[in-house]
């Protein structure tokens, strides 16, 4: 987030999260409210096998979830499905799988698998997401049964993305009917051992590279039913949050429900969130915003990460863990109204029943909608990956991202500081000003510079961006291993100038404030602001927000 002037004190994300966790016993007033939630909650984390492939030095408490007294009793009582990976079920030691199956049975939680159902050939598919050897599903199903497990759900790992859309080297780009015929054989293998298993799908929405996605997915759903003789039980959406996902979600939800197919949404954070708490906060913002629209409340809420954050599953009382996120999903829904009249913002914060929430702090964020103003220093603080040897800073516009928009961006001299050694590296791009039309790609890199693996660092980037540039790209830091291979990329999306203030709701939940009257407010707050008012949540209440433009 930009370095900005704050007219009233506000707690940090971490402080707010600790305040929420300290009152965990108060979290879930489920009865007697008008809350609308998914009928089924799924939980999925990065398992102990996959995490070592991502980062050999990463810690994992994944298996601790299944211990008899593991500290997630409240979350476990609400989770109906625990989803794990094809890789874990295929390669984890027998003892680890037996431990998982016993722990899930103890808690009456069903087992689900994110299944790699496509078959590679000698011509294509090897190394592409979603592909596995021809007997993998049969072997895994047999192994689950042998070790005492009961596979209840299978969610296919994006076969349309990996098998049809993908333009990666070695991608098959197969017709949908061919993909359906392929996965039909795997479905039969699984059903021979688990005849009552529910088989569904995971697919992306909001990806600007998939312009005809609704038609394609509906065709795929029909092809699957024709090939297997049974409809998909559900479709879970992997949302590209930077894309135009809402129209696709709205249309597909209606069309799938018309076919009797359940809809799920994967609620996750961002790959470049700098901490576990920031990641879970992003995920909470997403389910709170989507489920404020009753028509979009999914049948299945999938709380899932396949990223390095969050690093831990437990305990549920610790902000930033995956089980903590489950408890946040269970918190009571809130509503926030907002009006903007002659710079005076007014509205009301209530619970789902319309009861006022007084004495709650609201954050007011004003964003400059005019031309790009003066530069604001953006700061990113994190740790270098364990295998990192070098890094570059990269500017990307409408490329190497799920983004598309016009750009008017200025980037000043940047600096990278190793916070362990104190060494500072000045960096700059060949150009300082970048302009592009929607869909027009541009990219530049700095020279490579050495980094120390595992060291904390601070990156500072002076940035000026117009309001229209918000969805067009980013400045990122790309970490490379000793062979020059990219191993991680953290992004700073283009953001226009912003400014923050705060207000507190009255006893009736209402507020009224004129940000432009604040003497600390910059000129754009009086001339061309867009406003967002945010409630960060409380132990018993979900976060919520409302926005309005000039």
């Amino acid at each position: 987030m930009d370095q900005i002037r704050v007219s009233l004190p506000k707690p940090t994300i971490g402080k707010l999260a600790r305040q929420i966790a300290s009152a965990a016993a108060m979290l879930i007033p489920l009865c007697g409210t008008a809350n609308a939630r998914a009928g089924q909650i799924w939980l999925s984390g990065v398992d102990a096998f996959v995490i070592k492939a991502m980062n050999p030095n990463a810690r994992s408490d994944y298996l601790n979830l299944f211990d008899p007294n593991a500290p997630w009793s409240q979350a476990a009582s609400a989770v109906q499905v625990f989803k794990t990976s094809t890789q874990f079920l295929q390669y984890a030691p027998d003892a680890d799988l037996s431990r998982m199956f016993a722990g899930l049975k103890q808690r009456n939680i069903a087992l689900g698998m994110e299944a790699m159902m496509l078959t590679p050939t000698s011509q294509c598919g090897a190394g592409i997401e979603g592909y596995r050897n021809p007997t993998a599903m049969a072997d895994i199903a047999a192994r689950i049964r042998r070790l005492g497990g009961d596979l209840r759900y299978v969610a296919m790992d994006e076969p349309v993305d990996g098998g049809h859309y993908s333009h990666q080297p070695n991608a098959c780009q197969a017709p949908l009917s061919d993909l359906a015929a392929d996965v039909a054989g795997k479905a039969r293998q699984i059903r021979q051992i688990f005849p009552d298993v529910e088989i569904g799908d995971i697919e992306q929405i909001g990806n600007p590279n998939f312009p005809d996605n609704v038609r394609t997915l509906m065709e795929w759903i029909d092809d699957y039913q024709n090939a297997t003789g049974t409809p998909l039980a559900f479709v879970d959406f992997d949302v590209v949050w930077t894309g135009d996902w809402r129209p696709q979600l709205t249309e597909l939800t209606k069309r799938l429900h018309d076919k009797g197919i359940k809809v799920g949404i994967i609620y996750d954070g961002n790959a470049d969130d700098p901490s576990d708490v920031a990641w879970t906060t992003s995920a909470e913002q997403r389910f709170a915003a989507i489920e404020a629209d009753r028509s979009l409340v999914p049948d299945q809420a999938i709380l899932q990460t396949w990223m390095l954050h969050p690093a831990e599953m437990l305990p549920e009382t610790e902000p930033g863990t995956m089980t903590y996120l489950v408890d946040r999903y269970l918190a009571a829904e809130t509503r926030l109204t907002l009006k903007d009249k002659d710079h005076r913002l007014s509205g009301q914060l209530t619970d789902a029943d319309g009861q006022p929430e007084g004495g709650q702090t609201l954050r007011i964020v004003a964003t400059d909608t005019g031309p790009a103003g003066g530069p604001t220093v953006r700061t990113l603080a994190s740790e270098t990956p364990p295998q990192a040897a070098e890094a570059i800073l990269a500017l990307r516009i409408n490329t190497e991202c799920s983004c598309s928009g016009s750009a008017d961006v200025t980037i000043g001299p940047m600096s990278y500081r190793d916070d362990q050694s104190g060494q500072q590296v000045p960096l700059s791009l060949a150009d300082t000003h970048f302009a592009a039309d929607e869909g027009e790609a541009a990219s530049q890199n700095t020279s490579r510079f050495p980094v120390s693996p595992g060291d904390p660092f601070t990156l500072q980037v002076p940035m000026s961006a117009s309001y229209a540039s918000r969805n067009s790209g980013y400045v990122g830091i790309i970490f490379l291993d000793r062979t020059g291979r990219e191993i991680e990329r953290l992004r700073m999306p283009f953001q226009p100038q912003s400014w923050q203030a705060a207000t507190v709701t009255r006893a009736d939940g209402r507020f009224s404030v004129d940000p432009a009257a604040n003497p600390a407010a910059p000129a754009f707050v009086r001339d061309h602001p867009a406003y967002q008012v945010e409630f960060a949540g409380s132990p018993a209440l979900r976060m919520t927000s409302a926005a309005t433009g000039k």
Side-chain angles (χ1 to χ4, degrees), residues 333-368:
E333 188 180 352
T334 54
R335 307 274 191 208
L336 183 63
T337 61
L338 178 62
K339 294 181 180 179
D340 176 9
K341 184 176 181 181
D342 299 328
H343 292 295
R344 179 161 288 278
L345 302 179
S346 61
Q348 186 181 29
L349 179 68
T350 66
D351 66 14
D353 291 314
Q355 297 300 307
E357 293 293 338
Q360 302 288 357
T361 299
L362 304 178
R363 182 171 64 161
I364 300 167
V365 181
T367 301
D368 188 354

Side-chain angles (χ1 to χ4, degrees), residues 63 66 88 92-105 143-144 146-149:
L63 289 170
F66 313 114
F88 189 68
D94 284 0
D96 289 352
L97 293 188
S98 296
R99 180 179 174 185
M100 169 190 279
F101 301 155
L104 294 179
K105 287 181 180 179
R143 189 179 190 214
I144 292 171
R146 175 174 62 82
L147 295 173

Side-chain angles (χ1 to χ4, degrees), residues 137-379:
M137 294 300 106
D139 295 342
I140 289 170
R143 189 179 190 214
I144 292 171
R145 184 175 64 178
R146 175 174 62 82
L147 295 173
D150 181 11
L151 183 62
R152 298 282 302 281
Y153 296 90
V154 167
M156 293 186 287
D157 184 9
E158 305 193 7
V160 175
D161 180 12
H164 178 71
Y165 281 132
S166 177
H167 284 79
Q168 292 178 266
N170 209 39
C172 294
Q173 298 179 22
L176 297 174
S177 57
D178 290 358
L179 298 179
D182 186 9
V183 302
K186 309 296 181 58
R188 286 191 293 271
Q189 293 175 6
I190 295 169
R191 290 191 191 279
Q192 285 177 356
I193 297 176
F194 296 104
D196 296 326
V197 69
E198 292 191 25
I199 299 179
D201 190 22
I202 306 169
E203 296 297 346
Q204 288 189 21
I205 59 171
N207 191 324
N209 297 316
F210 307 164
D212 202 14
N213 199 39
V214 171
R215 182 198 61 77
T216 299
L217 291 184
M218 295 308 299
E219 181 182 339
W220 156 249
I221 289 164
D222 290 341
D223 285 344
Y224 174 88
Q225 182 165 350
N226 292 336
T228 63
T230 57
L232 287 167
F234 57 86
V235 176
D236 294 337
F237 293 125
D238 175 11
V239 182
V240 178
W241 300 106
T242 55
D244 189 19
W245 53 267
R246 186 174 288 270
Q248 293 184 27
L249 177 61
T250 301
E251 182 176 355
L252 285 166
T253 295
K254 182 180 185 307
R255 294 180 68 171
L256 291 175
H257 281 164
D258 287 345
K259 286 179 169 287
I261 298 173
K262 293 181 289 186
V263 170
I265 299 175
I266 297 174
Y267 294 125
D268 56 3
N270 304 303
D272 51 1
D273 281 325
S275 68
D276 293 348
V277 170
W279 191 99
T280 55
T281 299
S282 295
E284 182 178 353
Q285 288 170 340
R286 284 162 179 162
F287 63 64
I290 286 178
E291 297 185 12
D293 182 343
R294 297 299 176 89
S295 69
L296 296 181
V297 175
D299 304 296
Q300 301 173 172
I302 300 95
L303 306 175
Q304 178 173 4
T305 181
W306 48 85
M307 309 169 196
L308 291 175
H309 293 300
E312 297 178 334
M313 303 293 289
L314 298 165
E316 65 183 333
T317 54
E318 179 67 26
T321 68
M322 286 300 295
T323 50
Y324 171 85
L325 182 62
V326 175
D327 288 347
R328 293 306 303 147
Y329 185 78
L330 299 173
E333 188 180 352
T334 54
R335 307 274 191 208
L336 183 63
T337 61
L338 178 62
K339 294 181 180 179
D340 176 9
K341 184 176 181 181
D342 299 328
H343 292 295
R344 179 161 288 278
L345 302 179
S346 61
Q348 186 181 29
L349 179 68
T350 66
D351 66 14
D353 291 314
Q355 297 300 307
E357 293 293 338
Q360 302 288 357
T361 299
L362 304 178
R363 182 171 64 161
I364 300 167
V365 181
T367 301
D368 188 354
T369 64
T376 303
V377 175
R378 301 278 304 283
T379 300

Side-chain angles (χ1 to χ4, degrees), residues 507-537:
D508 61 359
R510 298 186 181 278
F511 64 95
S512 180
V513 63
D514 182 0
N518 189 316
F524 79 81
V525 176
R526 292 179 288 276
D527 298 334
H528 34 70
Y531 289 111
Q532 178 154 309
V533 178
E534 303 169 351
F535 171 55

